[in-house]
Amino acid sequence: MQAKGYISLEGHRRLAAELLRLRTVERPKVVDEVAAAAAQGDRSENAEYIYGKKRLREIDRRTRWLEKRLEVLEAVDVDRPRDEGRCFFGAWVSVQDEDGKGATYRILGEDEIDAGRGYISYSSPLGRVLLGKRAGDVCEVQTPSGPREVEVLGVRYGPPP
């Protein structure tokens, strides 16, 4: 059994929509393709049949994973912060490291990580350190190159900056 996790409402909708699409669109389409390929005769040398069966296995594997994952995820309304000034799940956090390099991250679930958009997991080293912090707080985060100090410049909720 997977450990309980958190996900934004938007992320939950995205995973649920993927599951629905796999069940109602992708799988039936591939089943029809496999049936048509099987009707052509010798299946051992029929690339369309072999590829179709492989694709069905991939779809079934992803469907099972999504079903199990959605069972253990708790969807959180990130537009309703508990405390506007503190960093909680769903917050946009602007930070500056000890070298003066700044960045803005959004604290979300593991299923929503996207480095290009600045989305980090609440269970990542930086995410864990930032939870509960306010603007002006300085904290130490463990990085592969050793501990680094990070100052929280601001915390806000809502759409991307």
Side-chain angles (χ1 to χ4, degrees), residues 16-58:
E18 180 185 356
L19 179 60
L20 182 64
R21 182 183 52 78
L22 287 172
R23 284 181 178 160
T24 61
V25 177
E26 292 293 321
R27 193 170 200 293
K29 176 182 158 197
V30 175
V31 166
D32 290 344
E33 291 170 357
V34 168
Q40 294 175 4
D42 186 9
R43 297 175 186 172
S44 66
E45 295 182 16
N46 187 332
E48 292 167 355
Y49 177 81
I50 293 168
Y51 174 76
K53 293 294 282 184
K54 179 181 178 199
R55 181 70 182 125
L56 276 176
R57 287 191 301 273
E58 292 168 356

Side-chain angles (χ1 to χ4, degrees), residues 73-85:
L73 288 174
E74 181 178 330
V76 177
D77 185 355
V78 297
D79 294 328
R80 293 184 180 200
R82 289 186 262 169
D83 180 348
E84 189 71 33

